[in-house]
Amino acid sequence: DTGVSQNPRHKITKRGQNVTFRCDPISEHNRLYWYRQTLGQGPEFLTYFQNEAQLEKSRLLSDRFSAERPKGSFSTLEIQRTEQGDSAMYLCASSATSGGAETQYFGPGTRLLVL
Amino acid sequence: AQSVTQPDIHITVSEGASLELRCNYSYGATPYLFWYVQSPGQGLQLLLKYFSGDTLVQGIKGFEAEFKRSQSSFNLRKPSVHWSDAAEYFCAVGRGSGTYKYIFGTGTRLKVLA
């Protein structure tokens, strides 16, 4: 059983640069989530997709952030004009719809450091 | 507003001792409750979950948790801790009906003394 995978695992960039992260969910899962985790905190919800539709976005997702899931399979999260405050672990999770009682399975995360 | 509180930021126990990690939630309806574990630099691994039914749930690695509606709690327990249990533990709440996001607590970091 292949779990959720994320690439890259680590990214170091300079302030002002754009970065893109990829998430490949568990193959039969139709929901995909992005969370952000800063040091010493729990994960905070950013956005989620059901198939290719982006159904909910957090206020944390500023205009510099954009997420896509073009074919309802993998997803990308892009941050434009990165800021030092964007340094965090970005976690992806996926789940299968099951009438409400579903479980999210998380990937290993992408750790971003903005210099 | 929905929230999850993990009152203990750090807990230190000796190997072989029992463990209880506290989790309290604020949620309008009966929530779905989860415990995840995170090793340094890694993603989250599901330990156990509660949706309905028996309020005592068993998970992986010998962990269990008890849902107490009257106390709005979902505490995680283990009778005998192993050195490999040292990690950060997160309690989360989630529910359908229009939103599927999870709300996480701030975590409890567990240190195990040999």
Side-chain angles (χ1 to χ4, degrees):
Chain A
D1 178 27
T2 304
V4 178
S5 62
Q6 294 186 245
N7 288 288
R9 293 290 309 277
H10 300 89
K11 179 71 176 178
I12 301 174
T13 191
K14 294 182 179 179
R15 189 177 54 187
Q17 297 295 304
N18 299 344
V19 295
T20 300
F21 309 142
R22 175 176 170 130
C23 171
D24 288 88
I26 294 172
S27 58
E28 63 270 25
H29 286 183
N30 60 338
R31 289 202 179 116
L32 186 148
Y33 307 79
W34 286 99
Y35 291 82
R36 183 174 71 183
Q37 184 181 22
T38 53
L39 207 59
Q41 299 297 316
E44 295 175 290
F45 171 79
L46 291 177
T47 188
Y48 96 91
F49 294 83
Q50 181 160 315
N51 300 314
E52 64 275 10
Q54 188 173 17
L55 297 186
E56 187 174 353
K57 292 196 290 186
S58 161
R59 287 174 294 177
L60 292 175
L61 212 66
S62 76
D63 292 344
R64 297 184 297 105
F65 288 69
S66 63
E68 294 182 341
R69 195 183 183 197
K71 297 182 179 179
S73 57
F74 73 91
S75 175
T76 58
L77 177 68
E78 181 183 16
I79 310 175
Q80 295 182 327
R81 304 181 304 283
T82 53
E83 302 173 355
Q84 289 184 326
D86 297 330
S87 296
M89 173 82 93
Y90 290 84
L91 293 163
C92 176
S94 69
S95 68
T97 52
S98 58
E102 61 181 71
T103 302
Q104 294 179 22
Y105 295 91
F106 284 79
T110 295
R111 183 169 294 280
L112 172 66
L113 177 61
V114 182
L115 301 176
Chain B
Q2 303 147 10
S3 65
V4 177
T5 302
Q6 294 182 247
D8 304 304
I9 299 174
H10 297 279
I11 283 187
T12 300
V13 299
S14 298
E15 192 170 19
S18 63
L19 173 69
E20 182 170 27
L21 303 182
R22 296 184 289 165
C23 173
N24 293 94
Y25 65 88
S26 173
Y27 206 86
T30 300
Y32 298 145
L33 295 159
F34 307 85
W35 275 100
Y36 286 86
V37 62
Q38 185 178 39
S39 297
Q42 301 299 312
L44 303 176
Q45 181 184 22
L46 179 70
L47 285 176
L48 47 77
K49 59 191 176 186
Y50 172 78
F51 291 149
S52 64
D54 192 346
T55 56
L56 184 64
V57 294
Q58 303 297 319
I60 62 172
K61 304 184 180 186
F63 285 93
E64 67 177 27
E66 186 171 13
F67 170 57
K68 293 186 178 180
R69 184 191 307 273
S70 61
Q71 298 177 18
S72 298
S73 69
F74 188 58
N75 294 348
L76 182 71
R77 301 192 295 248
K78 186 170 185 177
S80 178
V81 170
H82 188 263
W83 64 266
S84 61
D85 293 324
E88 189 145 26
Y89 292 79
F90 292 95
C91 180
V93 61
R95 182 76 180 184
S97 301
T99 181
Y100 297 94
K101 65 184 179 186
Y102 287 2
I103 296 172
F104 285 84
T106 51
T108 297
R109 182 168 296 279
L110 174 65
K111 182 177 180 180
V112 180
L113 300 176

